[in-house]
Amino acid sequence: MGFTTIAKILPLLALMHVIMCEITPDPKTFFPEIKGNLTKIVWAHAVNSQADLTKALTADDIMMLEGDVVIGNVNDTTNNKTNIPIMAHPPDTESDLSLEEFLSSVLRNGTKGIKLDFKSAEAFERSKSILAEKRKEFNVPLFLNADILPGPVEATATPVDSKSFLSGAIEAFPESVLSVGWTTRYGSEFNITEGQYTKEQIQKMIDTLSERKVSQSITYPVRAGLAANDISAIKTLMENSSSFGNVSLTVWSSHGDHVDTKKLSELIKTIGVDKVYVDVPEDVWNKLDLNSGSSTLSTAMMATIALISLVLGRML
């Protein structure tokens, strides 16, 4: 092998080393098979028990695991821990899976990304030390999620305090993706099928992040049925967030939500499939038409991702 060839290969190997050793790598890099199309990432939702965790970790198609974090008790045959961060969705306060066990299992697996949805300020505050202890072990994507502002439709649920969440997340895990959204009142639970994110709610989010001088990657979780009703508002959100760095949407939906899938498809394609994660029930997903979805990925970036994927495949 000539010197010139070696000189060309060394920068690529250095880049690969950074990717493989990087704390919480970018999902586009971690999952090269999606070729930059974030809508192709497959989610496991509400992974809040040992059984759900085992199922998700052994499923070949699952890429990202989303779980809910509350303060409660762990009850199983070997542990009986109380008043600690556990994986459960309110109003549940008992689980057979603690946050620490969840993280340890996913990190040992090493092939799935993590999204933690903190349901209260206390749950996040009590979880920071666990995240800090695990930080150097992280070699998978990590999203830290909380609803930090009130949203549509005149939502009454109490948001997680924005200042404590943002400052705490930046301090405890600056490499994570901040997933910051709005509380919502929508769907079959409230018998509400109409609504949208208002310009005031959009601007409040931008102002909140600007005040905290956020510079790490951000994804905005938006409820599908609401976001699809005003594409211009979501475009404004994305356009006015350019100063924050790497910004994306995470479109989510609950079972029973009214979702105009034609409008939702238009929204996703308008923003770009390289900037939108989609975590919706299967019946909604199957009705989406994402063909010819726009993408702002450059040809050079696509080529780089493909090359890294090829070389890694030959090395492993």
Side-chain angles (χ1 to χ4, degrees):
M1 183 180 293
F3 177 80
T4 302
T5 303
I6 294 175
K8 291 179 179 179
I9 291 176
L10 283 177
L12 177 59
L13 292 177
L15 175 61
M16 288 166 50
H17 176 76
V18 169
I19 291 170
M20 295 174 72
C21 299
E22 182 183 3
I23 296 176
T24 65
D26 182 272
K28 290 178 184 176
T29 304
F30 192 73
F31 302 113
E33 64 270 29
I34 69 172
K35 298 180 180 179
N37 184 342
L38 296 181
T39 68
K40 292 185 176 181
I41 288 182
V42 181
W43 295 78
H45 197 72
V47 183
N48 295 331
S49 69
Q50 292 281 2
D52 289 338
L53 179 59
T54 298
K55 181 179 179 181
L57 289 178
T58 55
D60 292 336
D61 60 329
I62 296 298
M63 300 178 181
M64 292 288 296
L65 277 60
E66 185 270 350
D68 306 295
V69 185
V70 301
I71 298 299
N73 306 327
V74 173
N75 289 320
D76 60 29
T77 56
T78 58
N79 287 309
N80 189 12
K81 299 178 181 179
T82 61
N83 199 34
I84 64 170
I86 64 169
M87 309 306 294
H89 192 284
D92 294 340
T93 57
E94 288 193 356
S95 175
D96 64 354
L97 182 62
S98 69
L99 170 62
E100 188 170 8
E101 291 169 328
F102 175 92
L103 292 175
S104 295
S105 295
V106 181
L107 292 176
R108 277 197 304 270
N109 176 277
T111 66
K112 320 284 188 183
I114 296 170
K115 178 179 177 179
L116 299 175
D117 187 356
F118 296 96
K119 294 304 185 180
S120 69
E122 182 186 10
F124 176 66
E125 194 65 29
R126 298 276 299 279
S127 299
K128 287 195 300 182
S129 60
I130 298 173
L131 289 168
E133 289 175 5
K134 296 285 186 183
R135 180 173 169 269
K136 291 186 178 181
E137 298 178 35
F138 261 85
N139 57 355
V140 302
L142 172 66
F143 291 20
L144 300 180
N145 181 86
D147 295 333
I148 62 172
L149 294 175
V153 179
E154 298 180 357
T156 56
T158 302
V160 174
D161 181 74
S162 61
K163 291 183 179 180
S164 62
F165 179 76
L166 291 173
S167 60
I170 293 169
E171 177 185 358
F173 226 121
E175 302 87 357
S176 65
V177 175
L178 290 179
S179 177
V180 285
W182 300 258
T183 59
T184 58
R185 191 171 69 95
Y186 183 75
S188 56
E189 178 184 358
F190 302 100
N191 196 29
I192 296 177
T193 59
E194 298 293 335
Q196 60 275 322
Y197 291 91
T198 67
K199 292 180 180 179
E200 292 76 16
Q201 290 163 350
I202 295 296
Q203 189 58 49
K204 180 63 175 176
M205 178 64 76
I206 294 169
D207 291 343
T208 299
L209 297 179
S210 297
E211 289 169 5
R212 305 308 299 175
K213 296 180 171 58
V214 172
S215 60
Q216 66 201 82
S217 296
I218 294 171
T219 190
Y220 296 114
V222 292
R223 199 161 186 168
L226 297 167
N229 285 338
D230 193 343
I231 295 175
S232 64
I234 304 302
K235 283 183 63 179
T236 298
L237 172 66
M238 297 297 287
E239 290 168 357
N240 292 349
S241 299
S242 58
S243 63
F244 302 137
N246 185 21
V247 180
S248 63
L249 290 180
T250 300
V251 175
W252 66 277
S253 182
S254 293
H255 288 283
D257 280 8
H258 172 72
V259 179
D260 186 324
T261 53
K262 184 176 181 180
K263 288 183 179 179
L264 182 59
S265 299
E266 182 183 352
L267 168 65
I268 294 169
K269 290 188 285 189
T270 297
I271 301 301
V273 295
D274 61 317
K275 292 185 177 296
V276 184
Y277 300 94
V278 181
D279 180 15
V280 297
E282 187 175 2
D283 62 325
V284 175
W285 171 258
N286 289 338
K287 294 177 183 177
L288 295 178
D289 177 11
L290 302 182
N291 292 328
S292 302
S294 65
S295 174
T296 58
L297 277 180
S298 67
T299 302
M301 178 62 74
M302 291 292 290
T304 300
I305 292 173
L307 180 59
I308 291 171
S309 176
L310 176 63
V311 176
L312 281 175
R314 291 181 176 179
M315 291 180 63
L316 299 177

